[in-house]
Amino acid sequence: RKEVEQDPGPFNVPEGATVAFNCTYSNSASQSFFWYRQDCRKEPKLLMSVYSSGNEDGRFTAQLNRASQYISLLIRDSKLSDSATYLCVVRRTGTGFQKLVFGTGTRLLVSP
Amino acid sequence: DAMVIQNPRYQVTQFGKPVTLSCSQTLNHNVMYWYQQKSSQAPKLLFHYYDKDFNNEADTPDNFQSRRPNTSFCFLDIRSPGLGDAAMYLCATSRDVINRPRPYEQYFGPGTRLTVT
């Protein structure tokens, strides 16, 4: 089982729709959580850090459920420019340096 | 603007011919990373420098080496590229400080796309 699992999609939605992605992680020691956005043939860009209480940034809302070990990303009022791959990323806690673990991403296609 | 810069953006090399990719950062971050990403796959960490300390991932082939001459620069050397090494190579940085308000976020450079002929 992969440490971070995402539905690869693609999720095809019309402009203006609301879409949600979930991501599950297997290591209960995971402590920090992020959503990155990656456009085709470009680098990943940090979209949001995910905090325990959940957080919102404009049209984007991230939630963390530690009991069930999943993170979600909600996008409201989808724009064409939201079309991209969304990477779920977790980092463990523990002694010493802990690397990030990336999911393979969920692809979103927003159509006119 | 503070940023992570990678050169070149596109690199074509011949099978077996050594190649060096470079990364520089103006963020003054203490940790620098090299990732390999192939199509439709997650970025795969090759190694990272925590300050001057080099940390290799267990499954990174010996063919891949790295140098960090100073805080700002980091190089990825591929000693004998094979066809399977064709990929996007991503450099990233982070400031790893306990109790920092926004800890552990990594910032990526634009990547170098390597083609092996």
Side-chain angles (χ1 to χ4, degrees):
Chain A
R1 182 186 175 190
K2 292 180 181 176
E3 188 166 348
V4 178
E5 296 214 61
Q6 297 182 251
D7 181 341
F11 284 57
N12 290 283
V13 303
E15 266 188 295
T18 295
V19 62
F21 310 135
N22 281 339
C23 162
T24 58
Y25 60 95
S26 60
N27 192 324
S28 59
S30 298
Q31 189 66 23
S32 302
F33 309 90
F34 310 92
W35 284 103
Y36 278 76
R37 170 199 169 121
Q38 187 169 27
D39 292 285
C40 188
R41 300 175 73 85
K42 297 287 183 68
E43 77 275 24
K45 292 186 177 177
L46 180 64
L47 180 65
M48 299 178 75
S49 300
V50 186
Y51 301 115
S52 296
S53 56
N55 45 302
E56 185 174 313
D57 184 1
R59 298 181 294 109
F60 299 85
T61 300
Q63 294 283 343
L64 169 63
N65 185 319
R66 288 188 184 274
S68 301
Q69 295 184 198
Y70 78 81
I71 310 127
S72 64
L73 177 67
L74 181 78
I75 305 175
R76 290 181 297 278
D77 188 22
S78 298
K79 311 292 185 189
L80 295 177
S81 57
D82 294 334
S83 296
T85 297
Y86 291 83
L87 301 170
C88 175
V89 184
V90 307
R91 178 170 173 166
R92 304 173 198 158
T93 190
T95 57
F97 181 81
Q98 299 294 330
K99 67 180 182 182
L100 297 184
V101 181
F102 286 78
T104 53
T106 297
R107 192 168 172 216
L108 172 65
L109 298 172
V110 182
S111 54
Chain B
D1 288 342
M3 57 177 60
V4 182
I5 302 163
Q6 290 188 244
N7 285 302
R9 296 291 307 279
Y10 301 91
Q11 176 74 57
V12 180
T13 191
Q14 293 177 339
F15 183 94
K17 185 175 181 180
V19 65
T20 295
L21 310 182
S22 72
C23 176
S24 64
Q25 53 120 347
T26 60
L27 297 161
N28 201 31
H29 284 173
N30 61 325
V31 190
M32 294 187 76
Y33 311 77
W34 280 105
Y35 289 87
Q36 179 193 66
Q37 188 177 27
K38 297 185 177 181
S39 182
S40 301
Q41 295 183 20
K44 177 181 181 298
L45 183 64
L46 296 174
F47 23 61
H48 74 273
Y49 275 93
Y50 193 109
D51 296 321
K52 295 181 180 180
D53 294 332
F54 176 72
N55 298 271
N56 202 29
E57 292 299 299
D59 57 353
T60 298
D62 291 340
N63 198 27
F64 292 87
Q65 304 285 322
S66 185
R67 297 169 282 139
R68 188 179 187 186
N70 54 53
T71 302
S72 301
F73 285 85
C74 197
F75 300 96
L76 170 62
D77 300 307
I78 308 176
R79 294 193 298 187
S80 182
L83 297 179
D85 296 328
M88 172 81 94
Y89 289 88
L90 295 160
C91 174
T93 72
S94 69
R95 180 179 293 281
D96 203 66
V97 177
I98 294 174
N99 296 327
R100 181 170 175 268
R102 296 172 70 96
Y104 317 129
E105 293 165 353
Q106 288 187 16
Y107 297 90
F108 286 83
T112 295
R113 186 163 295 279
L114 178 68
T115 300
V116 182
T117 61

